[in-house]
Amino acid sequence: MRIRVVHETIYTYEQPARGLVQVMRLTPRDHDGQYVRTWRIDTSIDGRLTAREDGFGNIVHWFTPDAPADALTIRVTGAVDTEDTHGVIRGTVERLPDEFYLRDTDLCTTTPELQIFAERVATDGDGTPLAVLHRLRAAVPQAVAYEPGPAVNGVPSGKAFAAGKGICQDLTHVFIAAARHLGIPARYVAGYRARDDGEADVEAPHGWAEALVPNLGWVAFDACYENAPSDGYIRVATGLDYLGAAPIRGSRTGGGTETLDVKLRVEQGRDATQS
């Protein structure tokens, strides 16, 4: 499948913002089942855009404007050819040992209630890691109802579990925290997901999880839609949690109140011949 993305992030400031820095994890890499055909980042104002790689192997762009700005639009356009690998992830850039992904973070830490939930899922059938993870993927949305909405700075997994509802990143954090409690390395994935109904307009970028399965490698799990990410997904960045893989994070001096608007189209095209 060929997936085309047009993603605009529009910032407006009450007053010109100084010292503006935007850190963008918006560029996917090739791996088995994902082939980047075209991809570019454009900004509405002049400035310096530099690329580097972070510790997770993500492509990261830093943007600094040449002058104070009262508005900024970051526009991403691209096309990616995808194949369904049934959630198995191979050919990725891996910079960190597997054990690193057992670390708790402020957004992915367990409470006693979440620990009990994870242990109950683990003992409710086949105890092999892959079977446990499939049950966990099905159990999380039963415990935490998915409510579509834009990404925010993040709700800790224990708080989302107690609330019984959350956006995609909240369900993903609960899945990750539970998997780590069971001794399974897990990480957050940020990217794009094409809608099942074929409509191109999407509310926000998507987030899901990957967990490490012995003798199989990293496998993707989407607790929000209760499936294995397929050829309708574009994998962009990974981290211990949402903050480590967030599409855009920034800082500034002054500017007053900030207004944010996101426009996103993820369009499915015809199957493309690989070359």
Side-chain angles (χ1 to χ4, degrees):
M1 181 182 295
R2 178 160 293 177
I3 302 178
R4 294 179 174 83
V5 172
V6 179
H7 179 192
E8 290 187 336
T9 306
I10 305 159
Y11 298 91
T12 55
Y13 308 104
E14 187 179 16
Q15 303 165 359
R18 306 182 306 279
L20 185 62
V21 178
Q22 297 285 21
V23 182
M24 298 174 279
R25 291 173 175 84
L26 287 168
T27 303
R29 306 188 81 144
D30 290 347
H31 58 77
D32 292 1
Q34 177 169 295
Y35 310 92
V36 182
R37 291 306 186 189
T38 62
W39 202 269
R40 63 179 292 157
I41 299 173
D42 295 296
T43 59
S44 60
I45 57 178
D46 293 335
R48 177 176 297 180
L49 186 66
T50 58
R52 63 189 71 176
E53 183 184 288
D54 69 9
F56 294 95
N58 302 316
I59 298 173
V60 183
H61 287 84
W62 292 65
F63 176 71
T64 53
D66 292 337
D70 57 11
L72 168 64
T73 297
I74 299 169
R75 191 172 195 265
V76 175
T77 55
V80 176
D81 289 347
T82 61
E83 298 175 0
D84 189 358
T85 62
H86 305 287
V88 179
I89 307 299
R90 294 195 176 102
T92 55
V93 175
E94 301 292 344
R95 304 296 188 204
L96 298 167
D98 297 338
E99 294 77 11
F100 181 82
Y101 295 100
L102 288 169
R103 291 187 179 186
D104 286 343
T105 69
D106 289 343
L107 293 177
C108 292
T109 187
T110 57
T111 59
E113 294 77 15
L114 185 47
Q115 291 175 6
I116 292 170
F117 166 78
E119 292 163 7
R120 185 170 62 246
V121 171
T123 57
D124 189 27
D126 185 344
T128 59
L130 184 59
V132 170
L133 289 164
H134 279 299
R135 288 201 302 276
L136 185 61
R137 182 192 66 192
V140 167
Q142 298 300 316
V144 184
Y146 171 47
E147 294 187 342
V152 293
N153 288 332
V155 174
S157 53
K159 185 175 181 179
F161 185 78
K165 61 181 179 180
I167 60 174
C168 70
Q169 71 190 60
D170 298 328
L171 274 72
T172 302
H173 287 154
V174 170
F175 179 97
I176 292 170
R180 290 175 183 165
H181 175 68
L182 298 172
I184 302 173
R187 62 192 179 192
Y188 191 97
V189 184
Y192 301 103
R193 175 186 180 274
R195 288 173 49 165
D196 294 331
D197 60 9
E199 293 294 325
D201 291 329
V202 179
E203 185 173 17
H206 192 43
W208 60 96
E210 290 175 358
L212 191 63
V213 178
N215 302 318
L216 191 58
W218 288 101
V219 179
F221 298 89
D222 188 345
C224 300
Y225 293 98
E226 302 182 54
N227 63 14
S230 63
D231 55 359
Y233 288 65
I234 297 177
R235 182 183 186 273
V236 177
T238 63
L240 286 173
D241 56 26
Y242 169 76
L243 293 181
I248 304 177
R249 297 184 67 186
S251 63
R252 59 186 170 91
T253 302
T257 302
E258 174 185 287
T259 302
L260 171 64
D261 186 25
V262 175
K263 298 179 181 179
L264 176 58
R265 290 179 62 84
V266 182
E267 183 179 11
Q268 302 180 47
R270 295 180 179 177
D271 290 348
T273 302
Q274 307 297 331
S275 59

